[in-house]
Amino acid sequence: MAVSEDEVASWKLEETVEWALKQYNSRVAHRFEEQEIDGETLLMLCKTGTTDQLKACGLETVKDQLKLKKLIQGSEKTSVVAVTEQVACGTSCIELNRKLSLPELGKISPEDRRIYLMMRNKVRKAVYDTWKSNSIPLFKTDSAERQKLEELAATLIPTCKTKYFGERAIRQHIFDSLNEKKRRIRKGVDYTKPRIRKAIAKEATSSVGVTNATTAPAITSHDLTEVQCLKIATAQVSPSCDPSPEGQCLNSELSVKSAEVIVLQAFGVHFLKEVTRQQLVRAINNHLPQNAERKALLTAPKTSLLKPLAQGLLAKKIIQINSGADVCDLTRDDILVSGVL
């Protein structure tokens, strides 16, 4: 029996699990409970959920996935509205409002893709500036954080909304950025310690005639102007990395971790599993010189392709690195995508 969107929106987790048990089976109900699918999340899953997200909730078959949209009244109407916001791209159509998938990013024009990635980076920076501590907000239980979220979205939508980056995509990327921050905190990143842009700090020190750099106040990324943040290093990496015992590498060669970050940023994804080996090989064929080394890479494991591809993208200036960034330990904030794969 179909239920209305208004009714579903008010459901708690227990009610959603009970509904899944009645409409599907105990396996789907258990998955709903594992994924914490309440009424509001169920509506988003029905309207914008990807195939992987539906499968994570136990809806493995196409029949079960289509049944979900049929069981909730209003979702089909929303889909019709979304269709009117589509744009032809080759032989397929792309919905303007939601976040684009990697294949869809490859189908839009280079200029549109550059603008899309630029707006996405702007949203990520705004998220990091809004929640600066190491704690991740809990929107379900904290009304103050929900209010802060709505204010941030209201601020970003007028300035970041573009042809392929609509309101829904902006909101989705806010959550993606928070999830990325959570993963980095688990890996040991401390957001309470400001990051220093060494090259610009040195430039600021010399401009006021200070001879001892240690006496100058630290310049953080929040103190930099937009023009300074966009100063880009050349394709040649700095001649040496941090020589101190705490340094994470001993020469200017990119670490595997930094190479992976560069490749993920170039493809516009968060996880390596979102990029197939075939896509990496295609990028290598397009951007690395034709020689014996490139030929050997065609049969190499997926992880072995990252560093050569990253170096090739840097050499062609498709990827550029912010001045002062440590090439041994790059983050997404250090990287600017200035070209198209």
Side-chain angles (χ1 to χ4, degrees), residues 153-214:
T155 303
L156 290 173
I157 287 169
T159 58
C160 294
K161 188 174 181 180
T162 63
K163 182 178 180 181
Y164 292 102
F165 199 56
E167 180 177 345
R168 192 189 306 172
I170 291 172
R171 289 179 177 275
Q172 188 174 350
H173 196 63
I174 290 175
F175 290 111
D176 288 346
S177 299
L178 286 171
N179 287 331
E180 179 188 15
K181 183 177 180 181
K182 184 192 297 185
R183 289 191 295 270
R184 294 177 68 182
I185 290 172
R186 288 174 179 172
K187 291 181 179 179
V189 176
D190 188 354
Y191 285 92
T192 61
K193 296 181 179 179
R195 299 182 63 216
I196 300 175
R197 299 295 187 186
K198 298 177 184 177
I200 300 178
K202 182 178 179 181
E203 176 184 330
T205 302
S206 61
S207 65
V208 295
V210 179
T211 56
N212 187 356
T214 58

Short mmCIF file of all heavy atoms in Angstrom, two decimals, residues 153-214:
data_model
loop_
_atom_site.label_atom_id
_atom_site.label_comp_id
_atom_site.label_asym_id
_atom_site.label_seq_id
_atom_site.Cartn_x
_atom_site.Cartn_y
_atom_site.Cartn_z
N ALA A 153 23.84 26.62 3.69
CA ALA A 153 23.25 26.29 2.38
C ALA A 153 22.64 27.53 1.74
O ALA A 153 22.79 27.77 0.54
CB ALA A 153 22.20 25.20 2.55
N ALA A 154 21.95 28.36 2.56
CA ALA A 154 21.32 29.57 2.03
C ALA A 154 22.37 30.55 1.51
O ALA A 154 22.11 31.30 0.56
CB ALA A 154 20.48 30.22 3.12
N THR A 155 23.56 30.53 2.12
CA THR A 155 24.64 31.42 1.68
C THR A 155 25.29 30.91 0.39
O THR A 155 25.62 31.70 -0.51
CB THR A 155 25.71 31.54 2.77
OG1 THR A 155 25.10 32.01 3.97
CG2 THR A 155 26.82 32.50 2.36
N LEU A 156 25.46 29.59 0.29
CA LEU A 156 26.18 29.01 -0.84
C LEU A 156 25.33 28.93 -2.11
O LEU A 156 25.86 29.08 -3.22
CB LEU A 156 26.68 27.61 -0.48
CG LEU A 156 27.82 27.54 0.54
CD1 LEU A 156 28.09 26.10 0.92
CD2 LEU A 156 29.08 28.18 -0.02
N ILE A 157 24.04 28.68 -1.96
CA ILE A 157 23.19 28.44 -3.13
C ILE A 157 23.20 29.62 -4.12
O ILE A 157 23.38 29.42 -5.33
CB ILE A 157 21.77 28.07 -2.70
CG1 ILE A 157 21.76 26.64 -2.11
CG2 ILE A 157 20.78 28.16 -3.87
CD1 ILE A 157 20.48 26.27 -1.42
N PRO A 158 23.06 30.88 -3.66
CA PRO A 158 23.08 31.98 -4.64
C PRO A 158 24.42 32.16 -5.35
O PRO A 158 24.46 32.59 -6.50
CB PRO A 158 22.75 33.21 -3.77
CG PRO A 158 22.11 32.67 -2.54
CD PRO A 158 22.77 31.35 -2.30
N THR A 159 25.53 31.83 -4.67
CA THR A 159 26.85 32.08 -5.25
C THR A 159 27.43 30.87 -5.98
O THR A 159 28.29 31.03 -6.85
CB THR A 159 27.84 32.51 -4.15
OG1 THR A 159 27.91 31.48 -3.14
CG2 THR A 159 27.38 33.81 -3.50
N CYS A 160 27.01 29.67 -5.62
CA CYS A 160 27.60 28.45 -6.20
C CYS A 160 26.69 27.73 -7.18
O CYS A 160 27.15 26.82 -7.88
CB CYS A 160 28.00 27.47 -5.08
SG CYS A 160 29.32 28.08 -4.01
N LYS A 161 25.44 28.08 -7.22
CA LYS A 161 24.51 27.37 -8.10
C LYS A 161 24.84 27.68 -9.55
O LYS A 161 24.89 28.84 -9.97
CB LYS A 161 23.07 27.78 -7.79
CG LYS A 161 22.02 26.95 -8.53
CD LYS A 161 20.62 27.31 -8.07
CE LYS A 161 19.57 26.47 -8.78
NZ LYS A 161 18.21 26.80 -8.34
N THR A 162 25.09 26.65 -10.32
CA THR A 162 25.42 26.80 -11.73
C THR A 162 24.59 25.83 -12.56
O THR A 162 23.72 25.13 -12.05
CB THR A 162 26.93 26.52 -11.97
OG1 THR A 162 27.22 25.16 -11.61
CG2 THR A 162 27.80 27.46 -11.15
N LYS A 163 24.92 25.77 -13.83
CA LYS A 163 24.16 24.94 -14.77
C LYS A 163 24.08 23.49 -14.34
O LYS A 163 23.03 22.86 -14.41
CB LYS A 163 24.81 25.05 -16.15
CG LYS A 163 24.11 24.29 -17.26
CD LYS A 163 24.83 24.52 -18.57
CE LYS A 163 24.17 23.77 -19.72
NZ LYS A 163 24.88 23.97 -20.99
N TYR A 164 25.20 22.93 -13.87
CA TYR A 164 25.23 21.51 -13.50
C TYR A 164 25.42 21.31 -12.00
O TYR A 164 25.67 20.20 -11.55
CB TYR A 164 26.38 20.80 -14.24
CG TYR A 164 26.16 20.70 -15.72
CD1 TYR A 164 26.82 21.55 -16.59
CD2 TYR A 164 25.29 19.76 -16.26
CE1 TYR A 164 26.63 21.47 -17.96
CE2 TYR A 164 25.09 19.68 -17.62
CZ TYR A 164 25.76 20.53 -18.46
OH TYR A 164 25.56 20.44 -19.82
N PHE A 165 25.35 22.36 -11.22
CA PHE A 165 25.58 22.26 -9.78
C PHE A 165 24.45 22.99 -9.07
O PHE A 165 24.58 24.13 -8.65
CB PHE A 165 26.94 22.89 -9.44
CG PHE A 165 27.50 22.46 -8.11
CD1 PHE A 165 27.69 21.12 -7.82
CD2 PHE A 165 27.87 23.38 -7.15
CE1 PHE A 165 28.21 20.71 -6.60
CE2 PHE A 165 28.40 23.00 -5.94
CZ PHE A 165 28.58 21.67 -5.66
N GLY A 166 23.31 22.28 -8.96
CA GLY A 166 22.11 22.88 -8.41
C GLY A 166 22.04 22.82 -6.90
O GLY A 166 22.98 22.42 -6.21
N GLU A 167 20.89 23.21 -6.37
CA GLU A 167 20.71 23.29 -4.91
C GLU A 167 20.89 21.93 -4.25
O GLU A 167 21.55 21.81 -3.22
CB GLU A 167 19.30 23.84 -4.61
CG GLU A 167 19.00 23.95 -3.12
CD GLU A 167 17.64 24.57 -2.87
OE1 GLU A 167 17.06 25.17 -3.80
OE2 GLU A 167 17.15 24.44 -1.73
N ARG A 168 20.33 20.90 -4.85
CA ARG A 168 20.45 19.57 -4.25
C ARG A 168 21.90 19.09 -4.26
O ARG A 168 22.38 18.48 -3.30
CB ARG A 168 19.57 18.57 -5.02
CG ARG A 168 19.41 17.23 -4.31
CD ARG A 168 18.73 16.21 -5.21
NE ARG A 168 17.46 16.69 -5.72
CZ ARG A 168 16.76 16.06 -6.65
NH1 ARG A 168 17.23 14.94 -7.18
NH2 ARG A 168 15.61 16.54 -7.08
N ALA A 169 22.61 19.38 -5.34
CA ALA A 169 24.02 18.99 -5.42
C ALA A 169 24.86 19.73 -4.38
O ALA A 169 25.78 19.15 -3.79
CB ALA A 169 24.56 19.29 -6.82
N ILE A 170 24.56 21.00 -4.14
CA ILE A 170 25.29 21.78 -3.14
C ILE A 170 25.08 21.19 -1.76
O ILE A 170 26.04 20.99 -1.00
CB ILE A 170 24.83 23.26 -3.18
CG1 ILE A 170 25.30 23.91 -4.49
CG2 ILE A 170 25.36 24.02 -1.98
CD1 ILE A 170 24.73 25.30 -4.72
N ARG A 171 23.84 20.88 -1.42
CA ARG A 171 23.57 20.29 -0.11
C ARG A 171 24.24 18.92 0.02
O ARG A 171 24.80 18.59 1.08
CB ARG A 171 22.06 20.14 0.09
CG ARG A 171 21.34 21.47 0.29
CD ARG A 171 19.84 21.28 0.48
NE ARG A 171 19.16 22.52 0.73
CZ ARG A 171 19.02 23.09 1.93
NH1 ARG A 171 19.52 22.47 2.99
NH2 ARG A 171 18.39 24.22 2.08
N GLN A 172 24.20 18.14 -1.03
CA GLN A 172 24.82 16.81 -0.98
C GLN A 172 26.33 16.92 -0.78
O GLN A 172 26.93 16.15 -0.04
CB GLN A 172 24.50 16.04 -2.27
CG GLN A 172 24.95 14.59 -2.23
CD GLN A 172 24.50 13.83 -3.46
OE1 GLN A 172 23.71 14.33 -4.26
NE2 GLN A 172 24.99 12.62 -3.63
N HIS A 173 26.94 17.92 -1.43
CA HIS A 173 28.39 18.06 -1.30
C HIS A 173 28.78 18.60 0.08
O HIS A 173 29.90 18.36 0.53
CB HIS A 173 28.95 18.95 -2.40
CG HIS A 173 30.43 18.83 -2.55
ND1 HIS A 173 31.03 17.64 -2.91
CD2 HIS A 173 31.45 19.70 -2.33
CE1 HIS A 173 32.34 17.80 -2.93
NE2 HIS A 173 32.62 19.04 -2.58
N ILE A 174 27.90 19.32 0.74
CA ILE A 174 28.17 19.73 2.12
C ILE A 174 28.34 18.50 2.99
O ILE A 174 29.30 18.38 3.77
CB ILE A 174 27.02 20.62 2.66
CG1 ILE A 174 27.04 21.99 1.96
CG2 ILE A 174 27.14 20.80 4.17
CD1 ILE A 174 25.87 22.89 2.33
N PHE A 175 27.44 17.53 2.83
CA PHE A 175 27.55 16.29 3.61
C PHE A 175 28.76 15.47 3.19
O PHE A 175 29.43 14.86 4.02
CB PHE A 175 26.26 15.47 3.47
CG PHE A 175 25.06 16.08 4.14
CD1 PHE A 175 24.01 16.60 3.41
CD2 PHE A 175 24.99 16.14 5.53
CE1 PHE A 175 22.92 17.17 4.03
CE2 PHE A 175 23.89 16.71 6.17
CZ PHE A 175 22.85 17.24 5.41
N ASP A 176 29.05 15.45 1.89
CA ASP A 176 30.24 14.73 1.42
C ASP A 176 31.50 15.31 2.04
O ASP A 176 32.42 14.57 2.43
CB ASP A 176 30.33 14.81 -0.10
CG ASP A 176 29.29 13.94 -0.80
OD1 ASP A 176 28.69 13.10 -0.11
OD2 ASP A 176 29.07 14.12 -2.00
N SER A 177 31.58 16.63 2.13
CA SER A 177 32.76 17.28 2.70
C SER A 177 32.90 16.97 4.19
O SER A 177 34.01 16.77 4.69
CB SER A 177 32.68 18.80 2.48
OG SER A 177 32.64 19.11 1.11
N LEU A 178 31.77 16.93 4.89
CA LEU A 178 31.82 16.59 6.32
C LEU A 178 32.25 15.14 6.51
O LEU A 178 33.01 14.83 7.44
CB LEU A 178 30.45 16.83 6.96
CG LEU A 178 30.08 18.30 7.19
CD1 LEU A 178 28.62 18.42 7.62
CD2 LEU A 178 30.99 18.93 8.24
N ASN A 179 31.78 14.25 5.65
CA ASN A 179 32.20 12.84 5.74
C ASN A 179 33.68 12.69 5.43
O ASN A 179 34.39 11.90 6.07
CB ASN A 179 31.37 11.99 4.77
CG ASN A 179 29.95 11.79 5.24
OD1 ASN A 179 29.69 11.79 6.45
ND2 ASN A 179 29.02 11.64 4.33
N GLU A 180 34.17 13.47 4.45
CA GLU A 180 35.59 13.44 4.14
C GLU A 180 36.41 13.93 5.33
O GLU A 180 37.45 13.35 5.68
CB GLU A 180 35.88 14.31 2.92
CG GLU A 180 37.35 14.35 2.54
CD GLU A 180 37.65 15.37 1.45
OE1 GLU A 180 36.78 16.22 1.20
OE2 GLU A 180 38.74 15.31 0.88
N LYS A 181 35.93 14.99 5.98
CA LYS A 181 36.62 15.52 7.16
C LYS A 181 36.65 14.49 8.28
O LYS A 181 37.66 14.32 8.97
CB LYS A 181 35.92 16.79 7.62
CG LYS A 181 36.60 17.48 8.80
CD LYS A 181 35.90 18.78 9.16
CE LYS A 181 36.61 19.44 10.34
NZ LYS A 181 35.94 20.70 10.73
N LYS A 182 35.54 13.78 8.46
CA LYS A 182 35.49 12.74 9.50
C LYS A 182 36.53 11.65 9.24
O LYS A 182 37.23 11.20 10.15
CB LYS A 182 34.08 12.12 9.54
CG LYS A 182 33.89 11.09 10.64
CD LYS A 182 32.60 10.29 10.46
CE LYS A 182 31.39 11.18 10.54
NZ LYS A 182 30.13 10.39 10.47
N ARG A 183 36.66 11.23 7.98
CA ARG A 183 37.64 10.20 7.64
C ARG A 183 39.07 10.70 7.90
O ARG A 183 39.92 9.95 8.41
CB ARG A 183 37.50 9.80 6.16
CG ARG A 183 36.25 9.01 5.86
CD ARG A 183 36.30 8.42 4.46
NE ARG A 183 36.29 9.46 3.44
CZ ARG A 183 35.18 9.96 2.89
NH1 ARG A 183 34.00 9.52 3.27
NH2 ARG A 183 35.25 10.89 1.97
N ARG A 184 39.33 11.96 7.58
CA ARG A 184 40.68 12.49 7.78
C ARG A 184 40.99 12.65 9.27
O ARG A 184 42.14 12.46 9.69
CB ARG A 184 40.80 13.83 7.05
CG ARG A 184 40.71 13.67 5.53
CD ARG A 184 40.76 15.00 4.83
NE ARG A 184 42.07 15.64 4.98
CZ ARG A 184 42.35 16.84 4.48
NH1 ARG A 184 41.42 17.51 3.81
NH2 ARG A 184 43.54 17.36 4.65
N ILE A 185 40.00 13.00 10.06
CA ILE A 185 40.20 13.09 11.52
C ILE A 185 40.56 11.73 12.08
O ILE A 185 41.45 11.60 12.93
CB ILE A 185 38.95 13.67 12.21
CG1 ILE A 185 38.79 15.15 11.85
CG2 ILE A 185 39.02 13.49 13.72
CD1 ILE A 185 37.50 15.77 12.33
N ARG A 186 39.88 10.69 11.58
CA ARG A 186 40.20 9.33 12.04
C ARG A 186 41.62 8.92 11.67
O ARG A 186 42.23 8.09 12.34
CB ARG A 186 39.20 8.33 11.44
CG ARG A 186 37.81 8.43 12.06
CD ARG A 186 36.82 7.53 11.33
NE ARG A 186 35.50 7.59 11.93
CZ ARG A 186 34.42 7.02 11.40
NH1 ARG A 186 34.53 6.36 10.24
NH2 ARG A 186 33.24 7.12 11.99
N LYS A 187 42.14 9.51 10.59
CA LYS A 187 43.51 9.20 10.17
C LYS A 187 44.55 10.04 10.89
O LYS A 187 45.74 9.93 10.62
CB LYS A 187 43.65 9.39 8.66
CG LYS A 187 42.87 8.36 7.84
CD LYS A 187 43.07 8.59 6.35
CE LYS A 187 42.32 7.55 5.52
NZ LYS A 187 42.49 7.77 4.06
N GLY A 188 44.08 10.94 11.78
CA GLY A 188 45.02 11.71 12.59
C GLY A 188 45.15 13.17 12.25
O GLY A 188 45.97 13.88 12.85
N VAL A 189 44.39 13.68 11.27
CA VAL A 189 44.47 15.10 10.93
C VAL A 189 43.85 15.93 12.06
O VAL A 189 42.77 15.61 12.54
CB VAL A 189 43.75 15.39 9.60
CG1 VAL A 189 43.75 16.87 9.28
CG2 VAL A 189 44.40 14.61 8.47
N ASP A 190 44.55 16.98 12.50
CA ASP A 190 44.08 17.84 13.57
C ASP A 190 43.68 19.18 12.98
O ASP A 190 44.53 19.97 12.56
CB ASP A 190 45.19 18.02 14.62
CG ASP A 190 44.68 18.76 15.86
OD1 ASP A 190 43.51 19.22 15.84
OD2 ASP A 190 45.44 18.88 16.83
N TYR A 191 42.38 19.47 12.96
CA TYR A 191 41.90 20.71 12.37
C TYR A 191 41.97 21.90 13.32
O TYR A 191 41.63 23.02 12.94
CB TYR A 191 40.46 20.53 11.88
CG TYR A 191 40.37 19.72 10.61
CD1 TYR A 191 40.19 18.34 10.65
CD2 TYR A 191 40.50 20.32 9.37
CE1 TYR A 191 40.14 17.59 9.49
CE2 TYR A 191 40.44 19.59 8.21
CZ TYR A 191 40.25 18.22 8.27
OH TYR A 191 40.20 17.48 7.12
N THR A 192 42.39 21.66 14.55
CA THR A 192 42.57 22.78 15.49
C THR A 192 43.90 23.47 15.28
O THR A 192 44.12 24.57 15.79
CB THR A 192 42.48 22.28 16.94
OG1 THR A 192 43.54 21.33 17.18
CG2 THR A 192 41.15 21.61 17.20
N LYS A 193 44.82 22.84 14.53
CA LYS A 193 46.12 23.43 14.25
C LYS A 193 46.08 24.06 12.87
O LYS A 193 45.89 23.36 11.88
CB LYS A 193 47.22 22.36 14.31
CG LYS A 193 47.40 21.75 15.69
CD LYS A 193 48.52 20.71 15.67
CE LYS A 193 48.72 20.10 17.04
NZ LYS A 193 49.80 19.08 17.04
N PRO A 194 46.27 25.37 12.78
CA PRO A 194 46.22 26.04 11.47
C PRO A 194 47.36 25.60 10.58
O PRO A 194 48.48 25.40 11.04
CB PRO A 194 46.32 27.53 11.82
CG PRO A 194 47.00 27.56 13.15
CD PRO A 194 46.56 26.31 13.87
N ARG A 195 47.06 25.43 9.30
CA ARG A 195 48.09 25.07 8.33
C ARG A 195 48.77 26.32 7.83
O ARG A 195 48.12 27.32 7.54
CB ARG A 195 47.48 24.30 7.16
CG ARG A 195 46.83 23.01 7.57
CD ARG A 195 46.27 22.27 6.37
NE ARG A 195 47.36 21.92 5.46
CZ ARG A 195 47.23 21.91 4.15
NH1 ARG A 195 46.11 22.27 3.59
NH2 ARG A 195 48.24 21.56 3.38
N ILE A 196 50.10 26.29 7.70
CA ILE A 196 50.87 27.46 7.29
C ILE A 196 51.30 27.31 5.85
O ILE A 196 51.83 26.27 5.46
CB ILE A 196 52.11 27.64 8.20
CG1 ILE A 196 51.67 27.83 9.66
CG2 ILE A 196 52.97 28.80 7.73
CD1 ILE A 196 52.81 27.90 10.63
N ARG A 197 51.06 28.32 5.06
CA ARG A 197 51.55 28.34 3.69
C ARG A 197 52.96 28.92 3.71
O ARG A 197 53.16 30.12 3.82
CB ARG A 197 50.65 29.21 2.80
CG ARG A 197 49.21 28.72 2.73
CD ARG A 197 49.13 27.38 2.07
NE ARG A 197 47.73 26.99 1.87
CZ ARG A 197 47.35 25.83 1.43
NH1 ARG A 197 48.25 24.91 1.15
NH2 ARG A 197 46.07 25.55 1.27
N LYS A 198 53.98 28.07 3.63
CA LYS A 198 55.36 28.48 3.87
C LYS A 198 55.83 29.55 2.90
O LYS A 198 56.46 30.53 3.28
CB LYS A 198 56.28 27.25 3.79
CG LYS A 198 55.95 26.21 4.84
CD LYS A 198 56.84 24.99 4.68
CE LYS A 198 56.45 23.89 5.66
NZ LYS A 198 57.28 22.67 5.45
N ALA A 199 55.55 29.36 1.60
CA ALA A 199 56.08 30.29 0.61
C ALA A 199 55.52 31.68 0.79
O ALA A 199 56.24 32.68 0.71
CB ALA A 199 55.76 29.77 -0.80
N ILE A 200 54.21 31.78 1.07
CA ILE A 200 53.59 33.09 1.22
C ILE A 200 53.97 33.71 2.56
O ILE A 200 54.10 34.92 2.68
CB ILE A 200 52.06 32.97 1.07
CG1 ILE A 200 51.74 32.41 -0.32
CG2 ILE A 200 51.38 34.30 1.27
CD1 ILE A 200 50.27 32.21 -0.57
N ALA A 201 54.18 32.88 3.58
CA ALA A 201 54.64 33.40 4.86
C ALA A 201 56.02 34.04 4.70
O ALA A 201 56.30 35.10 5.25
CB ALA A 201 54.71 32.26 5.89
N LYS A 202 56.88 33.41 3.89
CA LYS A 202 58.21 33.95 3.64
C LYS A 202 58.12 35.26 2.87
O LYS A 202 58.82 36.23 3.14
CB LYS A 202 59.04 32.93 2.85
CG LYS A 202 60.46 33.38 2.57
CD LYS A 202 61.20 32.27 1.84
CE LYS A 202 62.63 32.72 1.52
NZ LYS A 202 63.37 31.65 0.78
N GLU A 203 57.21 35.30 1.89
CA GLU A 203 57.02 36.51 1.09
C GLU A 203 56.53 37.66 1.96
O GLU A 203 56.99 38.79 1.85
CB GLU A 203 56.02 36.22 -0.03
CG GLU A 203 55.68 37.44 -0.87
CD GLU A 203 54.62 37.10 -1.89
OE1 GLU A 203 54.56 35.94 -2.34
OE2 GLU A 203 53.83 37.99 -2.24
N ALA A 204 55.60 37.36 2.86
CA ALA A 204 55.07 38.39 3.75
C ALA A 204 56.14 38.90 4.70
O ALA A 204 56.20 40.08 5.03
CB ALA A 204 53.87 37.83 4.53
N THR A 205 57.02 37.99 5.15
CA THR A 205 58.08 38.37 6.07
C THR A 205 59.07 39.31 5.40
O THR A 205 59.47 40.33 5.94
CB THR A 205 58.81 37.11 6.57
OG1 THR A 205 57.87 36.26 7.20
CG2 THR A 205 59.90 37.48 7.56
N SER A 206 59.48 38.98 4.16
CA SER A 206 60.45 39.80 3.46
C SER A 206 59.90 41.16 3.09
O SER A 206 60.61 42.14 3.02
CB SER A 206 60.94 39.08 2.21
OG SER A 206 59.84 38.84 1.34
N SER A 207 58.59 41.24 2.86
CA SER A 207 57.99 42.50 2.43
C SER A 207 58.00 43.55 3.52
O SER A 207 57.92 44.74 3.26
CB SER A 207 56.56 42.26 1.94
OG SER A 207 55.76 41.83 3.02
N VAL A 208 58.07 43.13 4.80
CA VAL A 208 58.09 44.09 5.90
C VAL A 208 59.49 44.21 6.49
O VAL A 208 59.70 44.84 7.53
CB VAL A 208 57.09 43.68 7.00
CG1 VAL A 208 55.68 43.75 6.47
CG2 VAL A 208 57.40 42.29 7.52
N GLY A 209 60.48 43.60 5.83
CA GLY A 209 61.84 43.77 6.25
C GLY A 209 62.23 42.96 7.46
O GLY A 209 63.19 43.31 8.17
N VAL A 210 61.58 41.88 7.74
CA VAL A 210 61.92 41.05 8.89
C VAL A 210 62.99 40.06 8.46
O VAL A 210 62.79 39.32 7.51
CB VAL A 210 60.68 40.29 9.41
CG1 VAL A 210 61.06 39.41 10.58
CG2 VAL A 210 59.62 41.29 9.82
N THR A 211 64.10 40.02 9.14
CA THR A 211 65.20 39.15 8.75
C THR A 211 65.08 37.78 9.37
O THR A 211 65.53 36.79 8.81
CB THR A 211 66.54 39.77 9.17
OG1 THR A 211 66.51 40.01 10.59
CG2 THR A 211 66.77 41.09 8.45
N ASN A 212 64.47 37.67 10.50
CA ASN A 212 64.34 36.38 11.17
C ASN A 212 62.92 35.87 10.98
O ASN A 212 61.99 36.41 11.57
CB ASN A 212 64.66 36.53 12.67
CG ASN A 212 64.69 35.19 13.38
OD1 ASN A 212 64.41 34.17 12.76
ND2 ASN A 212 65.03 35.18 14.65
N ALA A 213 62.75 34.85 10.16
CA ALA A 213 61.40 34.36 9.83
C ALA A 213 60.69 33.80 11.04
O ALA A 213 59.47 33.77 11.08
CB ALA A 213 61.49 33.28 8.74
N THR A 214 61.42 33.35 12.04
CA THR A 214 60.77 32.74 13.20
C THR A 214 60.04 33.77 14.04
O THR A 214 59.19 33.44 14.86
CB THR A 214 61.81 32.02 14.07
OG1 THR A 214 62.81 32.97 14.48
CG2 THR A 214 62.47 30.90 13.30
#
